[in-house]
């Protein structure tokens, strides 16, 4: 959900040699990355049971703009550019089906803030909150404007504080933010318990107007809107090769697109195109959802209000309660997050590592809600997050002809930021970046992530030797 540690520690690097002698990956994985995608169904996908992907691209076509990726970023970009430039030929290429990536495999929380940006600068803090708050409002407005059949609730979320010291620090932080005009509220345990009675919690920070959303319903619900505006959508169409220049050539299994510009809306899958491989890596986050809770089960659990929560520990965990009654939960342990060697992007749920991850997150849920032990599990899945080393996103455009647009690396806050990214790219495409110049990550240099095998060794050493997961 939230972020990744600023860097791999010196201790992790010192341990790399020891790990290499016992856990070195097989050498065949040093070959180019495999093009692979998860095929499990999340609770969000289950809410779109009648969805059928559009046919794949056949033959050669031309476009003014080609968008690679059919998640929040790609669909939001297509929506805003088609609205502003109805005469442009826009093509969206999705490797599997819309919302098959993180947009349909997340924990469901729609939150404020941007990872990697602290709150010590009052002016920057106000701007970040104002931007993400407007992004959340835009999501709700889009649902209402087009009457999208999307399960959602925006009655606020909590950040749980798991020690007296952290609770007091959060109280002070909350007072600082309130002084800036940001409407957060700190709740001590006795104030919180009647509405949300989680064990081991000493207080919580409440943020109004945040919430939970079914991302698959949202993204897939926008498909007919895009097509009415002339956007050509090809699903089951992975881009195998990207040749850049004044005109960009995209090669797919059975076709080709020649376009004047391209949008990279591929987040954790971007390295499959051979781009930004030193900037971000795919981290697998494991999640499950229970069967719908009865009123009696909710009462026994002690979850009576709020759309969801995240906690403050290094092994960050998060949960949401859908408007259909499903409890969604993920994170909470090293096992709940996994980096697979050479940027692998498929996490087979039948594997031992996946089974251990699911059991670990179940145990974490029981720490907060012991009564959850009797709840049956309806879905188990994994989602690929795009993680940067400093936790900040990557937004901008590049290339000799400045015709490659990108918005990547949300590091766990993708629901809000990826939908904002559509507005951002539409502004850049239209030649006006004035709304975004203040962003610390807009076309800025990023700290590079080491290549393999040091990337894999660094991640393993950090998590094993420190006992912590990178905070996402």
């Amino acid at each position: 959900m939230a972020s990744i540690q600023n860097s791999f520690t010196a201790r992790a690097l010192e341990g790399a040699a020891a790990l290499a002698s016992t856990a070195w990956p097989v050498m065949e994985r040093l070959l180019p990355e495999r093009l692979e995608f998860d095929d499990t169904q999340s609770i969000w996908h289950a809410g779109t049971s009648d969805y059928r992907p559009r046919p794949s691209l056949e033959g050669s076509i031309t476009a003014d703009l080609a968008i690679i990726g059919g998640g929040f970023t790609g669909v939001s970009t297509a929506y805003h550019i088609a609205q502003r430039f109805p005469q442009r030929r826009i093509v969206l290429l999705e490797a599997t089906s819309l919302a098959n990536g993180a947009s349909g495999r997340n924990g469901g929380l729609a939150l404020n803030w941007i990872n990697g940006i602290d709150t010590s600068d009052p002016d920057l803090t106000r701007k970040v909150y104002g931007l993400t708050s407007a992004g959340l409002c835009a999501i709700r407005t889009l649902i209402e404007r087009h009457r999208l059949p999307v399960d959602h609730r925006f009655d606020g979320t909590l950040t749980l504080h798991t020690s007296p010291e952290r609770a007091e620090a959060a109280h002070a932080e909350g007072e600082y933010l309130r002084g800036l005009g940001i409407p957060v509220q700190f709740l001590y345990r006795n104030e919180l318990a009647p509405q949300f009675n989680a064990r081991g919690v000493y207080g919580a920070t409440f943020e109004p107007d945040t919430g939970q959303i079914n991302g698959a319903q949202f993204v897939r619900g926008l498909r007919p809107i895009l097509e009415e505006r002339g956007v050509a959508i090809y699903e089951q169409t992975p881009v195998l090769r990207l040749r850049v220049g004044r005109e960009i050539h995209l090669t797919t299994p059975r076709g080709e697109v020649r376009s004047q510009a391209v949008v990279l809306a591929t987040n954790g899958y971007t390295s499959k195109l051979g781009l930004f491989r030193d900037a971000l890596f795919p981290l697998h986050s494991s999640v499950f959802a229970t069967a719908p809770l009865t009123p009696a089960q909710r009462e026994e659990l002690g979850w009576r209000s709020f759309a969801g929560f995240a906690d403050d520990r290094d092994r960050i965990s998060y949960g949401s309660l859908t408007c259909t009654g499903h409890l969604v939960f993920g994170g909470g342990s090293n096992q709940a997050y996994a980096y697979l060697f050479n940027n692998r992007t498929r996490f087979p749920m039948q594997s031992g590592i996946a089974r251990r991850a699911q059991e670990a997150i179940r145990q974490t849920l029981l720490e907060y809600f012991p009564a959850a032990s009797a709840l049956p599990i309806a879905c188990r899945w994994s989602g690929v997050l795009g993680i940067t080393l400093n936790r900040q996103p990557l937004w901008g455009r590049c290339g000799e002809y400045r015709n490659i647009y990108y918005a990547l690396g949300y590091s766990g806050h993708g629901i809000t930021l990826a939908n904002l990214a559509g507005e951002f790219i539409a502004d850049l495409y239209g030649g006006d970046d004035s709304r975004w110049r203040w962003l610390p990550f807009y076309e800025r240099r990023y700290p590079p992530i080491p290549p393999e095998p040091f990337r894999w060794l660094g991640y393993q050493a950090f998590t094993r030797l420190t006992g912590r997961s990178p905070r996402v």
Side-chain angles (χ1 to χ4, degrees):
M1 258 195 43
S3 53
I4 188 171
Q5 298 292 335
N6 286 339
S7 64
F8 293 125
T9 63
R11 183 179 178 186
L13 294 176
E14 290 168 2
L19 281 174
S21 65
T22 59
W24 189 272
V26 295
M27 293 303 293
E28 68 179 12
R29 293 181 182 174
L30 294 176
L31 295 172
E33 294 181 26
R34 301 179 188 178
L35 189 65
E36 53 188 1
F37 306 95
D38 278 331
D39 53 8
T40 53
Q41 185 180 65
S42 71
I43 197 67
W44 317 123
H45 294 136
T48 62
S49 57
D50 60 345
Y51 183 82
R52 298 294 180 269
R54 290 289 185 256
S56 60
L57 173 65
E58 303 276 353
S60 180
I61 62 173
T62 60
D64 294 303
L65 180 69
I67 300 170
I68 308 174
F72 287 130
T73 303
V75 166
S76 177
T77 299
Y79 178 88
H80 289 288
I81 292 183
Q83 183 179 44
R84 298 188 202 183
F85 305 98
Q87 75 283 7
R88 302 292 170 87
R89 165 74 171 167
I90 302 169
V91 172
L92 189 151
L93 306 173
E94 162 56 37
T96 56
S97 60
L98 297 188
N100 185 65
S103 300
R105 296 177 176 277
N106 50 58
L109 293 178
L111 305 172
N112 283 309
W113 308 110
I114 300 173
N115 292 324
I117 300 178
D118 64 37
T119 58
S120 59
D121 182 328
D123 183 55
L124 182 60
T125 299
R126 288 191 191 95
K127 286 181 176 179
V128 168
Y129 180 84
L131 178 67
T132 54
S133 180
L136 292 171
C137 182
I139 292 172
R140 297 195 299 273
T141 299
L142 210 59
I143 293 172
E144 294 166 5
R145 177 182 301 153
H146 298 291
R147 299 180 182 178
L148 300 178
V150 177
D151 296 329
H152 65 287
R153 55 183 294 192
F154 281 85
D155 53 328
T157 58
L158 302 168
T159 299
L160 307 183
H161 307 297
T162 56
S163 74
E165 297 77 16
R166 291 182 178 186
E168 286 304 319
H171 187 193
E173 175 77 0
E175 291 301 305
Y176 165 70
L177 294 175
R178 287 175 66 85
L180 298 180
I182 297 171
V184 301
Q185 180 183 2
F186 183 83
L187 301 171
Y188 281 106
R189 178 170 175 78
N190 63 321
E191 300 173 296
L192 179 65
Q195 304 172 76
F196 188 89
N197 192 18
R199 178 181 292 182
V201 174
Y202 292 85
T205 303
F206 171 66
E207 288 202 40
D209 301 322
T210 56
Q212 174 273 320
I213 181 174
N214 184 323
Q217 289 179 338
F218 181 76
V219 169
R220 293 174 173 181
L222 282 170
R223 185 175 71 178
I225 310 300
L226 299 183
E227 291 176 331
E228 286 173 9
R229 295 181 175 181
V231 177
I233 298 175
Y234 298 96
E235 297 177 76
Q236 308 169 85
T237 306
V239 174
L240 305 178
R241 183 184 178 192
L242 187 69
R243 191 168 78 245
V244 302
R246 189 180 300 278
E247 182 180 71
I248 299 173
H249 292 245
L250 298 87
T251 303
T252 71
R254 291 182 293 276
E256 180 187 56
V257 180
R258 300 190 308 279
S259 180
Q260 299 304 305
V262 69
V263 174
L264 304 179
T266 42
N267 203 29
Y269 299 92
T270 305
S271 63
K272 305 301 180 186
L273 297 170
L275 301 170
F276 288 101
R277 192 174 186 189
D278 66 337
L280 73 165
F281 66 92
L283 190 69
H284 298 263
S285 179
S286 293
V287 194
F288 66 64
T290 69
L293 274 60
T294 65
Q297 287 172 324
R298 285 189 59 174
E299 186 63 28
E300 184 180 8
L301 202 67
W303 190 332
R304 304 177 184 93
S305 298
F306 310 116
F309 73 92
D311 64 22
D312 62 353
R313 299 182 294 184
D314 290 312
R315 303 174 179 87
I316 187 171
S317 59
Y318 52 89
S320 66
L321 192 61
T322 74
C323 59
T324 53
H326 298 274
L327 193 166
V328 180
F329 191 78
S333 67
N334 282 343
Q335 291 89 345
Y337 301 103
Y339 170 67
L340 305 183
F341 189 82
N342 204 30
N343 289 352
R344 295 286 300 278
T345 49
R346 185 170 182 270
F347 193 70
M349 294 306 294
Q350 298 77 23
S351 66
I353 187 172
R355 289 194 296 270
R356 290 190 293 273
Q358 288 289 328
E359 177 57 27
I361 60 177
R362 178 179 174 274
Q363 291 301 322
T364 303
L365 174 63
L366 297 182
E367 291 177 20
Y368 284 123
F369 299 105
S373 61
L375 300 178
I377 305 301
C379 290
R380 306 176 190 271
W381 69 93
S382 169
V384 173
L385 307 176
I387 304 296
T388 63
L389 203 56
N390 66 357
R391 299 165 293 172
Q392 294 183 12
L394 304 166
W395 284 17
R397 58 179 176 171
C398 60
E400 180 182 358
Y401 299 97
R402 303 285 286 168
N403 57 354
I404 302 173
Y405 299 82
Y406 59 90
L408 315 161
Y410 304 117
S411 297
H413 271 215
I415 290 181
T416 306
L417 292 178
N419 282 288
L420 273 171
E423 298 182 46
F424 162 76
I425 294 173
D427 282 346
L428 258 64
Y429 187 73
D432 181 10
D433 66 353
S434 58
R435 182 184 172 192
W436 313 95
R437 290 175 194 157
W438 61 272
L439 286 170
F441 49 82
Y442 171 36
E443 292 192 3
R444 300 295 176 86
R445 290 184 177 274
Y446 53 82
I449 300 172
E452 298 291 16
F454 306 106
R455 175 179 305 203
W456 187 88
L457 290 171
Y459 180 86
Q460 300 301 324
F462 180 86
T463 55
R464 296 186 193 187
L465 296 180
T466 67
R468 301 185 304 186
S469 292
R471 186 171 166 80
V472 297

